[in-house]
């Protein structure tokens, strides 16, 4: 049984209360590790350690801070295989996905912000003969990073790396559902020689550890990725304390497939955007709108692709669909499948739990599921399911599909499939969506602003946006 520890003030330690929580492997349904059941005492210790480390860390030249971050990136790359195995065991995702997406991206996050810190410049505004105005960007201080379970190390490091690069000290909380790679990261930080207290990782539940972090008066900013309801709660807690907030929340992303698209490519990529990571990526497209003249050929090719997906042991090389992250989440997704039937949908594929033989007999597996015939404004088409369930809907005009695409409370990501350049830009600008991909999906350049509109979030991550978030601008004017 693996026993995880907190990482506080440069030491691996149990929770102050000595308690542990069980951590389940989704592919087997068995407990495989224990995580510290930390509480407010551990958060207080971690914040104190971060405060003590702050003066030296913020004074360190950006180049030296960057070098440490690049060293952590190199260690993640060195440990690619054990980290991928750990991520797959903890989350249920195919190990092939963790090996090619999650872990390489975690390394890139550290390498990107390790070097970005050296290129982060502040502005000067010169008024000829009158004044020189310049902006200093001070690190905010001690900040909190709170992340979800779907891309555990990928999203955890996407927050921590820019915060450290900007000169902040961090208290971070990974999801209690997938804490394993965050623990392995703390071991790599020790090996890299990161000074004690610069990064602290406290394990435990959201309502206890997360809440204590959000409430702590010394925490100046909260970078949070997770559900919209949790984000709302965090905003309500943090707002009266005037904390800076970056909230990356839920989505209900549309794919807009026009008749003039490259159909084979649109089908291939839509299969990935529907079912990658069992549909548990905030950027997955779950509402597929298809121009009526190509609805039948799209449907036929898409369903043929779905039939070729293999649900099974995440460790098996030929598995494309692993387990859902937990029994509770599986039950939630199944309840939406039931709702889709009640709302009059026609089931085209899947819809059932999968019983995988052998070591995975107790795992949380679900068939990739496709419905058609649901109204664009029904609950299944408005609410985030966050699983391998998509709907197909034909449309007739650009105006109609835009109204449907924009017709939810969310606005995270969208894809447009067309060969008409004018339409591509016109539709992209009209979408209420923080991220729009044209003829592609999940193409990421870490310099671009990342985040959602409407109830999908507040603020943007990525590139300079993240470094700006973790700094406080100060404007200084010199009279000439
Ligand atoms: P969640 O909101 O349940 O939990 C996210 C994190 O918040 C966890 O670490 C949890 O412990 C913590 N938390 C819970 N209650 C808290 C509280 N009161 N105070 C502080 N922290 C608290 O989300 P989840 O189920 O882990 O993740 C799935 C959700 O995340 C989906 O809605 C998905 O769309 C969203 N997500 C969004 C993005 C994005 O970039 N917009 C990326 C990935 C996932």
């Amino acid at each position: 049984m693996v026993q995880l520890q907190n990482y506080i003030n440069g030491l691996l330690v149990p929770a102050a209360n000595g308690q542990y929580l069980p951590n389940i492997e989704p592919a087997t349904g068995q407990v495989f590790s224990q995580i510290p059941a930390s509480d407010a005492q551990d958060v207080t210790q971690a914040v104190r350690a971060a405060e003590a480390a702050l003066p030296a860390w913020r004074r360190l030249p950006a180049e030296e801070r960057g070098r440490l971050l690049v060293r952590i990136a190199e260690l993640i790359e060195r440990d690619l295989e054990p980290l991928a195995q750990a991520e797959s065991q903890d989350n249920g995702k195919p190990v092939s996905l963790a090996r090619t997406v999650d872990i390489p991206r975690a390394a890139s996050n550290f390498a990107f912000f390790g070097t970005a810190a050296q290129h982060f410049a502040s502005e000067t505004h010169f008024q000829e003969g009158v004044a020189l105005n310049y902006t200093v960007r001070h690190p905010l201080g001690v900040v909190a990073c709170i992340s979800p379970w779907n891309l555990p190390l990928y999203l955890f490091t996407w927050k921590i790396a820019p915060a450290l690069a900007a000169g902040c000290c961090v208290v971070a909380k990974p999801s209690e559902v997938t804490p394993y790679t965050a623990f392995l990261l703390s071991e790599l930080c020790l090996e890299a020689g990161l000074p004690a207290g610069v990064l602290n990782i406290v394990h435990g539940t959201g309502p206890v550890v997360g809440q204590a972090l959000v409430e702590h008066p010394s925490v100046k900013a909260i970078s949070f990725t997770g559900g919209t309801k949790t984000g709302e709660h965090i905003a309500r807690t943090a707002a009266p304390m005037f904390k800076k907030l970056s909230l990356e929340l839920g989505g209900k992303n549309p794919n807009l497939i026009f008749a003039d698209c490259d159909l084979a490519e649109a089908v291939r990529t839509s299969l990935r955007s529907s079912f990658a990571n069992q549909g548990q990526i905030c950027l997955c497209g779950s509402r597929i709108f298809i121009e009526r003249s190509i609805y039948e050929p799209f449907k036929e090719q898409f369903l043929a692709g779905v039939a070729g997906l293999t649900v099974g042991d995440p460790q098996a090389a030929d598995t494309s669909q692993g387990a859902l992250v937990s029994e509770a989440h599986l039950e939630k997704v199944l309840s939406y499948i039931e709702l889709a039937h009640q709302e009059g949908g026609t089931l085209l594929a899947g819809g059932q739990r999968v019983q995988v033989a052998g070591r995975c007999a107790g795992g949380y597996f679900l068939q990739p599921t496709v419905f058609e015939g649901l109204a664009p404004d029904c609950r299944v088409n408005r609410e985030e399911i966050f699983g391998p369930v998509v709907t197909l809907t034909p449309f007739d005009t650009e105006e109609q599909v835009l109204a449907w695409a924009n017709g939810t409370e969310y606005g995270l990501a969208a894809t447009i499939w067309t060969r008409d350049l004018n339409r591509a830009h016109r539709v992209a600008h009209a979408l209420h969506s923080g991220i729009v991909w044209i003829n592609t999906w999940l193409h990421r350049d870490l310099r671009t602003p990342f985040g959602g509109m409407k109830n999908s979030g507040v603020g943007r991550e990525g590139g300079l946006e993240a470094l700006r978030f973790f700094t406080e601008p100060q404007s200084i004017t010199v009279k000439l």
Side-chain angles (χ1 to χ4, degrees):
M1 178 80 65
V2 188
Q3 200 166 63
L4 311 190
Q5 307 280 279
N6 288 333
Y7 172 49
I8 298 177
N9 203 20
L11 297 170
L12 298 179
V13 290
N17 62 19
Q19 303 293 306
Y20 286 90
L21 296 167
N23 182 28
I24 291 171
E25 177 175 1
T28 63
Q30 302 295 315
V31 175
F32 81 102
S33 76
Q34 291 186 311
I35 72 165
S38 314
D39 58 29
Q41 302 174 73
D42 306 280
V43 169
T44 302
Q45 278 184 24
V47 173
R48 266 196 212 125
E51 284 182 305
L54 185 65
W57 182 249
R58 62 183 292 167
R59 261 202 316 272
L60 210 62
E63 188 184 350
E64 285 183 42
R65 286 201 300 265
R67 219 176 270 153
L68 277 163
L69 300 191
V70 171
R71 178 73 190 128
I72 296 171
E74 290 165 353
L75 294 175
I76 294 174
E77 278 168 355
R78 182 198 68 189
D79 287 359
L80 171 74
E81 191 54 31
L83 285 166
Q85 294 288 346
E87 201 71 293
S88 167
Q89 184 176 21
D90 208 9
N91 171 278
K93 67 179 68 207
V95 69
S96 54
L97 188 69
R99 195 182 283 134
T100 51
V101 176
D102 293 73
I103 308 306
R105 174 58 192 278
S108 298
N109 290 341
F110 273 108
F112 176 84
F113 284 109
T115 49
Q118 296 178 49
H119 304 278
F120 184 43
S122 60
E123 310 84 345
T124 58
H125 300 94
F126 183 61
Q127 294 172 296
E128 183 83 47
V130 181
L132 168 67
N133 308 278
Y134 67 94
T135 306
V136 185
R137 290 190 174 270
H138 299 287
L140 275 179
V142 175
V143 299
C145 297
I146 303 176
S147 58
W149 49 255
N150 63 324
L151 301 168
L153 194 62
Y154 176 134
L155 290 175
F156 197 53
T157 54
W158 179 233
K159 301 180 172 305
I160 291 170
L164 296 179
C168 293
C169 288
V170 176
V171 181
K173 194 200 96 60
S175 168
E176 61 272 40
V177 183
T178 53
Y180 195 6
T181 48
F183 169 69
L184 298 176
L185 175 69
S186 52
E187 294 185 324
L188 296 183
C189 291
L190 283 170
E191 187 179 343
L194 193 69
V198 165
L199 169 64
N200 305 274
I201 299 175
V202 184
H203 294 275
T205 67
V208 178
V209 173
Q211 185 71 23
L213 250 181
V214 172
E215 286 174 355
H216 199 294
S218 300
V219 170
K220 302 294 177 212
I222 297 144
S223 173
F224 169 82
T225 299
T228 295
K229 277 268 164 296
T230 317
E232 193 183 315
H233 174 77
I234 288 175
R236 205 176 292 124
T237 311
M241 301 169 85
F242 306 110
K243 295 184 185 214
K244 218 169 163 182
L245 282 179
S246 166
L247 302 174
E248 300 295 337
L249 309 176
K252 187 72 185 176
N253 308 311
N255 297 11
L256 284 65
I257 317 248
F258 289 94
D260 65 351
C261 71
D262 176 339
L263 184 61
E265 188 53 37
V267 169
R268 209 170 17 249
T269 305
S270 296
L271 279 166
R272 233 170 28 89
S273 73
S274 301
F275 301 116
N277 206 37
Q278 297 74 248
Q280 302 165 130
I281 301 180
C282 54
L283 305 165
C284 278
S286 53
R287 298 180 292 148
I288 307 181
F289 298 115
I290 305 128
E291 197 162 356
R292 193 175 299 279
S293 60
I294 59 160
Y295 184 80
E296 288 303 327
F298 181 95
K299 178 169 114 180
E300 188 184 319
Q301 292 178 35
F302 188 77
L303 292 176
V306 173
L309 297 173
T310 316
V311 182
D313 187 340
Q315 287 180 1
D318 63 344
T319 290
S320 58
Q321 300 287 291
L324 269 63
V325 76
S326 67
E327 188 160 27
H329 190 58
L330 173 66
E331 291 303 331
K332 176 192 152 182
V333 177
L334 283 168
S335 77
Y336 273 101
I337 291 173
E338 180 54 35
L339 180 65
H341 287 295
Q342 286 167 17
E343 290 189 317
T346 303
L347 183 68
L348 299 175
Q352 300 290 326
R353 255 190 105 148
V354 179
Q355 194 65 44
V356 175
R359 81 170 196 106
C360 294
Y364 314 130
F365 296 90
L366 182 64
Q367 293 173 329
T369 298
V370 185
F371 279 95
E372 69 173 354
L374 283 157
D377 62 350
C378 73
R379 279 185 56 203
V380 167
N381 272 328
R382 280 187 290 115
E383 298 178 13
E384 185 184 47
I385 301 173
F386 214 56
V389 180
V390 299
T391 63
L392 307 185
T393 309
F395 70 87
D396 293 300
T397 67
E398 193 177 301
E399 199 183 13
Q400 181 184 49
V401 74
L402 266 171
W404 290 348
N406 287 336
T408 75
E409 65 178 61
Y410 297 109
L412 186 55
T415 64
I416 301 169
W417 291 88
T418 178
R419 286 192 172 100
D420 178 338
L421 195 58
N422 286 334
R423 171 163 42 211
H425 289 291
R426 186 172 64 235
V427 172
H429 297 180
L431 281 167
H432 304 159
S433 177
I435 300 159
V436 178
W437 282 293
I438 297 168
N439 298 329
T440 185
W441 177 70
L442 207 56
H443 185 103
R444 293 284 296 120
D445 177 329
L446 304 190
R447 295 169 299 182
T448 58
F450 178 91
M453 296 180 182
K454 302 194 282 186
N455 293 4
S456 289
V458 175
R460 294 292 182 273
E461 298 187 309
L464 298 180
E465 300 277 347
L467 294 174
R468 289 196 191 104
F469 174 75
F470 288 113
T471 53
E472 181 95 87
Q474 181 183 38
S475 180
I476 297 178
T477 300
V478 187
K479 187 169 182 293
L480 297 180

